[in-house]
């Protein structure tokens, strides 16, 4: 197949730390290739900020597969009882798969970072 | 570069949707056939982009396009993670066919391995992938034979279309 011109999956991860709240801005694609990088970063941030709030902002993500959903669910489990874990997602690429697997019942999902931060 | 053997033909129980005789006008615009895709995780991203390109002319809603691309990707990832031993060679086929008469889109993913029973530790994630596939499409089925596994997914396109643009529409500012 001649598909070499199509770039491989990419994921950017930028961290903002403001007043004890850690916001991870993800951009690109979260699939079986990039999900491990997301998991590693979330694990680092979770270890770093015991007792505060972790926000995963997925507004820049345009593909989210079950590998990524599993990372988010494991992070929510990991943080349970010590930190709040908030996810920011909107639209068919990210919020929809979370709804389809019923994740929105167990993880707090917001349409914007501002909406997530307003609940703190 | 090691020379690769030519892609095998599809297993008898893994017939490509695009081979369906009802797809008599199986021109490039209505059929996408990717055979002999290397069964590695990194090969799947480009296939996903090809599926997105294929469905673009069908004028489906953004939500429907996302569902088709996600379900196709999950079927591919499932095959890569479960059909072949971790370091074993393998190939996959993906066929996407649009039946104009029925207004139905069918995506089929075929592997030539046998799902590895020892991978119970991955069960949770696999369950999630198959669950997503089921939630994304109208119908899905999995057929397993001695020569491989076929996952077939179908979407009724009616009711999933974006409205056509108004003729001579003026954009009011």
């Amino acid at each position: 197949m001649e598909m070499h011109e199509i770039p491989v999956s990419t994921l950017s991860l930028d961290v903002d730390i403001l007043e004890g709240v850690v916001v991870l801005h993800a951009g690109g694609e979260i699939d079986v290739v990039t999900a491990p990088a997301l998991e590693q970063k979330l694990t680092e941030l979770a270890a770093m900020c015991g007792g505060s709030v972790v926000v995963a902002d997925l507004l820049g993500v345009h593909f989210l597969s079950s590998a990524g959903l599993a990372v988010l669910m494991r992070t929510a489990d990991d943080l349970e009882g010590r930190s709040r874990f908030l996810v920011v997602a909107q639209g068919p690429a990210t919020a929809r798969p979370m709804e389809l697997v019923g994740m929105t019942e167990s993880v707090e999902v917001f349409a914007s970072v501002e909406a997530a931060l307003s609940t703190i | 570069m090691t020379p690769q053997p030519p892609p095998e033909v599809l297993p008898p129980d893994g017939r490509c949707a695009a081979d369906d005789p009802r797809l008599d006008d199986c021109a490039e615009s209505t059929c996408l056939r990717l055979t002999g895709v290397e069964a590695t995780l990194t090969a799947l991203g480009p296939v996903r982009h090809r599926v997105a390109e294929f469905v673009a002319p069908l004028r489906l809603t953004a939500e429907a396009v996302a569902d088709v691309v996600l379900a196709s990707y999950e079927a591919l990832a499932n095959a890569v993670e479960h059909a072949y031993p971790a370091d074993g060679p393998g190939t996959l086929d993906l066929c996407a066919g649009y039946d104009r008469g029925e207004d139905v889109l069918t995506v089929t993913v075929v592997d030539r391995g046998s799902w590895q029973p020892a991978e119970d530790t991955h069960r949770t994630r696999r369950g999630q992938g198959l669950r997503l596939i089921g939630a994304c499409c109208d119908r899905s089925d999995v057929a397993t034979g001695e020569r491989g596994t076929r996952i077939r997914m179908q979407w009724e396109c009616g009711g999933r279309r974006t409205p056509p643009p108004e003729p001579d529409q003026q954009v009011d500012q």
Side-chain angles (χ1 to χ4, degrees), chain B residues 3 21 29 45 55 59 86 92-94 123 135 137 144 160-161 169:
Chain B
S29 60
V55 299
R59 291 196 299 101
L92 307 169
D93 297 335
L94 178 140
R123 181 156 285 169
C137 63
T144 303
R160 285 193 163 98
R161 289 226 157 73
Q169 190 176 22

Side-chain angles (χ1 to χ4, degrees), chain A residues 1-3 6-9 29 31-33 62-67 69-70 73-74 92-93 96-97 100-102, chain B residues 34-35 37 41-42 44-50 62-63 66-67 69-70 73-74 77 81 125 128-129 131-132 135-136:
Chain A
M1 286 186 298
E2 293 176 11
M3 298 195 296
I6 300 171
V8 295
S9 303
E29 297 154 313
D31 60 12
V32 286
V33 173
H62 45 86
F63 183 73
L64 175 63
S65 82
S66 67
L69 295 174
M73 285 188 270
R74 281 195 291 269
R96 181 166 170 81
L100 289 177
V101 297
Chain B
L34 302 175
T35 56
V37 178
L41 298 179
T42 50
L44 305 184
V47 176
R48 179 172 80 226
H49 289 280
R50 293 286 295 268
E63 198 167 78
D67 286 355
V69 171
L70 179 57
Y73 185 82
E74 293 296 334
E81 292 186 318
R125 197 201 299 179
Q128 206 73 266
R131 192 170 157 199
L132 257 185
C136 283

Side-chain angles (χ1 to χ4, degrees), chain B residues 111-135:
Chain B
D111 68 61
R112 299 177 187 79
S114 54
W115 282 16
Q116 305 291 308
E119 297 198 352
D120 283 353
T121 50
H122 286 93
R123 181 156 285 169
T124 306
R125 197 201 299 179
R126 175 162 77 186
Q128 206 73 266
L130 291 176
R131 192 170 157 199
L132 257 185
I133 290 171

